[in-house]
């Protein structure tokens, strides 16, 4: 069965109909759902809390020069973890990659939290990223195997809801702990949350989704070519990030080397026709990257713009984005409704239009007469669009994937997401620096309010990302497979 062909509708026995109330939190799925949502909650809390403590950690470890690598180390190793997890889960089931991933995630946090030097801190982030890559792909395979197609939109909506509380509470809790107990406790405290997923999720996965798809078939060997490509994409992405962080002529060398490694690896790991927006699965994978990359690249500059150009405190700038967690979950909930299934493509087109409008409207707050709260409102609308798009993309991917290909295709989806993030962030960062962004806030501390005014440096980030999002709206019209 081709991965580009939609899977046949689920067959049900008319003598034993499925009760309508048997949803993701019904008796048959309650334990599994609670366990895997706990895993998502753990990842979300880490993502929102650790970033707050990171500047303090780098300063104490005298490693400001390596600060960016604490982020890029996580990203590059997570790419390799995603590919490995897809291979592993397709051949032996998602249980082992999920268990190893959670363990590596926790071990990386402990390594960073106990680091006495910045290079050890960066090493911990790399271990953590590898574990995160294993976990996220394994979770998609669990959803593919354990839940019937009618329940997958609902569990994806639950994943989005798992980000709401961490996005609101995480930065505040992390800041409080950092201020009163020290930054190390942010890293050392999060692994305690691992206990719940281990005790709840793993036994439930063992009962419902462990082992290969066909237990009677001989075990397939790992695809060594894909593993080599995974190394290539990780190393290439790391070199590109390094080059983008240090804009000099000499940086062209690692940039060219990174591209030379990255391009063939991407073409080998993503479905054929992805960057041509071929109908069906390739366009689903492409849309995930376009949506995530344009939105995250723009969002990364929102707090900086509010702090340096409008004089907000870092806390208030962060809270201006807090409502987005609620509307993102709301959009994911809307797409999960069964009556919306026939209109999924239209929902995704509309979602990408909302994202483009939100990004394009963001730099209007550079005009002093425009109230700051308009950005918070507009960004909440953009997050609503992202909720419609991201949840639907996951549902379509699993629908268009044969069971034995769910791991590899889920890895491709996550690779598209992560790779678009780094490429568009690098492009936006380079444009920002070229128009004087490096001088933003010069001579001022964050508490002193607005610094040097460089509105063009922000405009050149937001408007191109809005255009990328509009391209995503076109890609969203090509998600249904071509008719034979």
């Amino acid at each position: 069965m081709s991965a580009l062909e939609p899977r046949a509708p689920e067959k049900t026995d008319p003598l034993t109909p499925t009760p309508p109330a048997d949803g993701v939190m019904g008796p048959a799925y309650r334990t599994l759902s609670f366990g895997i949502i706990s895993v998502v909650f753990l990842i979300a809390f880490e993502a929102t809390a650790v970033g707050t403590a990171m500047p303090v950690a780098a300063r104490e470890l005298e490693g400001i020069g390596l600060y960016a690598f604490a982020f890029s180390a996580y990203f590059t190793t997570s790419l390799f973890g995603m590919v490995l997890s897809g291979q592993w889960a397709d051949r032996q089931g998602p249980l082992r990659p999920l268990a190893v991933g959670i363990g590596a995630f926790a071990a990386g946090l402990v390594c960073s939290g106990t680091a006495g030097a910045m290079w050890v801190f960066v090493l911990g982030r790399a271990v953590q990223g590898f574990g995160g890559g294993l976990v996220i792909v394994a979770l998609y395979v669990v959803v593919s195997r354990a839940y019937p197609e009618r329940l997958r939109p609902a569990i994806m909506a639950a994943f989005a809801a798992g980000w709401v509380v961490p996005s609101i509470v995480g930065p505040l809790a992390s800041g409080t702990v950092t201020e009163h107990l020290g930054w190390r406790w942010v890293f050392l405290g999060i692994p305690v949350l691992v206990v719940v997923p281990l005790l709840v999720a793993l036994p439930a996965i063992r009962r419902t989704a462990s082992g290969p798809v066909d237990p009677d078939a001989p075990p397939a060997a790992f695809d060594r070519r894909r593993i080599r490509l995974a190394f290539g994409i990780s190393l290439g992405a790391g070199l590109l990030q390094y080059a983008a962080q240090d804009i000099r002529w000499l940086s062209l060398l690692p940039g060219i080397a990174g591209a030379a490694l990255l391009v063939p690896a991407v073409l080998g790991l993503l479905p054929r026709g992805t960057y041509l927006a071929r109908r069906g699965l390739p366009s689903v994978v492409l849309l995930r990257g376009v949506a995530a990359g344009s939105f995250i690249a723009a969002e990364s500059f929102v707090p900086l713009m509010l702090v340096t150009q409008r004089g907000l405190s870092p806390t208030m700038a962060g809270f201006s984005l807090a409502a987005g967690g609620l509307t993102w979950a709301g959009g994911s909930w809307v797409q999960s409704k069964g009556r919306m299934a026939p209109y999924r493509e239209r929902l995704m087109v509309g979602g990408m239009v909302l994202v483009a409008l939100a990004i394009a409207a963001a730099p209007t707050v550079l005009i002093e007469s425009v109230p700051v709260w308009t950005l918070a409102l507009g960004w909440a609308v953009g997050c609503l669009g992202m909720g419609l798009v991201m949840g639907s993309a996951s549902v379509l991917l699993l629908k268009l994937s044969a069971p034995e290909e769910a791991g590899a295709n889920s890895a491709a989806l996550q690779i598209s997401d992560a790779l678009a993030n780094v490429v568009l962030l690098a492009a936006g960062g380079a444009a920002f620096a070229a128009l004087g962004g490096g001088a933003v806030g010069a001579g001022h501390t964050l508490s002193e309010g607005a610094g040097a005014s460089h509105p063009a440096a922000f405009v050149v980030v937001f408007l191109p990302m809005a255009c990328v999002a509009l391209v995503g709206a076109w890609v969203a019209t090509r998600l249904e497979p071509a008719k034979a």
Side-chain angles (χ1 to χ4, degrees), residues 11-325:
K11 297 179 180 179
T12 57
D13 185 348
L15 298 179
T16 56
T18 303
D22 191 17
V24 295
M25 285 299 176
Y29 300 101
R30 184 181 299 128
T31 302
L32 177 63
S33 297
F34 178 78
I36 61 177
I37 292 171
S38 297
V39 175
V40 173
F41 182 90
L42 166 68
I43 295 174
F45 193 82
E46 181 277 337
T48 56
V50 165
T52 304
M54 200 86 76
V56 180
R59 189 182 307 118
E60 183 176 314
L61 295 173
E62 299 180 354
I64 295 296
L66 296 176
Y67 179 76
F69 290 98
F71 293 94
S72 61
Y74 183 101
F75 170 77
T76 54
T77 54
S78 69
L79 280 172
F80 179 74
M82 290 171 189
V83 178
L84 178 61
S85 184
Q87 293 259 311
W88 199 351
D90 280 342
R91 283 153 180 76
Q92 299 179 11
L95 182 62
R96 291 182 181 177
L98 184 61
V100 172
I102 292 176
F105 191 81
L109 284 166
V110 172
C111 181
S112 293
T114 58
M118 191 61 181
W119 71 267
V120 179
F121 183 90
V122 172
L123 175 63
R125 292 287 292 166
V127 174
Q128 188 186 343
F130 175 69
L134 288 174
V135 167
I136 193 64
V137 172
L139 285 178
Y140 273 72
V141 179
V142 170
V143 172
S144 173
R145 294 194 184 187
Y147 293 88
E149 189 173 312
R150 64 183 178 84
L151 292 182
R152 290 174 191 163
I155 193 63
M156 292 301 174
F159 282 3
W163 279 80
V164 173
V165 173
S167 66
I168 298 173
V169 176
L172 180 61
S174 176
T176 302
V177 171
T178 299
E179 182 178 348
H180 292 92
L181 298 177
W183 65 267
R184 295 183 185 276
W185 287 104
V186 175
F187 290 85
L188 297 176
I190 292 177
V192 176
L193 299 176
V194 173
V195 175
V196 173
L198 283 176
L199 294 180
V200 177
L202 298 186
I205 293 171
R206 183 180 291 110
R207 292 193 303 269
T208 58
S210 62
V213 174
D214 185 0
D216 297 326
F222 278 85
D223 188 337
R224 295 182 180 179
R225 175 178 173 273
R226 291 184 68 85
I227 299 298
R228 288 195 299 269
L229 291 175
F231 274 117
I233 199 173
S234 298
L235 181 57
L239 289 171
L240 277 181
Q241 285 187 323
Y242 175 81
Q245 290 162 10
D246 185 17
I247 304 178
R248 296 182 302 167
W249 284 110
L250 287 178
S251 298
L252 286 175
L253 296 177
I256 293 172
L261 288 170
L262 200 61
V263 172
V266 169
L267 294 177
L269 290 171
L270 299 186
R272 183 175 298 176
T274 295
Y275 289 109
L276 297 176
R278 185 174 296 169
R279 284 191 170 275
L281 185 64
S283 285
V284 173
V285 172
L286 176 60
L287 179 61
R288 176 63 174 258
V290 169
S294 60
F295 189 80
I296 298 302
E299 186 177 61
S300 299
F301 287 88
V302 169
L304 183 64
M305 180 172 65
L306 294 177
V307 169
T308 62
Q309 307 301 296
R310 295 301 299 265
L312 268 66
S313 68
T315 300
M316 291 304 298
F319 275 129
S320 69
L321 303 178

Side-chain angles (χ1 to χ4, degrees), residues 335-354:
Q335 67 81 31
S336 73
K337 301 290 100 178
R339 61 180 177 274
M340 293 295 179
Y343 311 104
R344 189 171 300 282
E345 184 175 290
R346 295 181 188 177
L347 285 177
M348 298 176 79
V349 172
M352 288 308 304
V353 171
L354 293 179

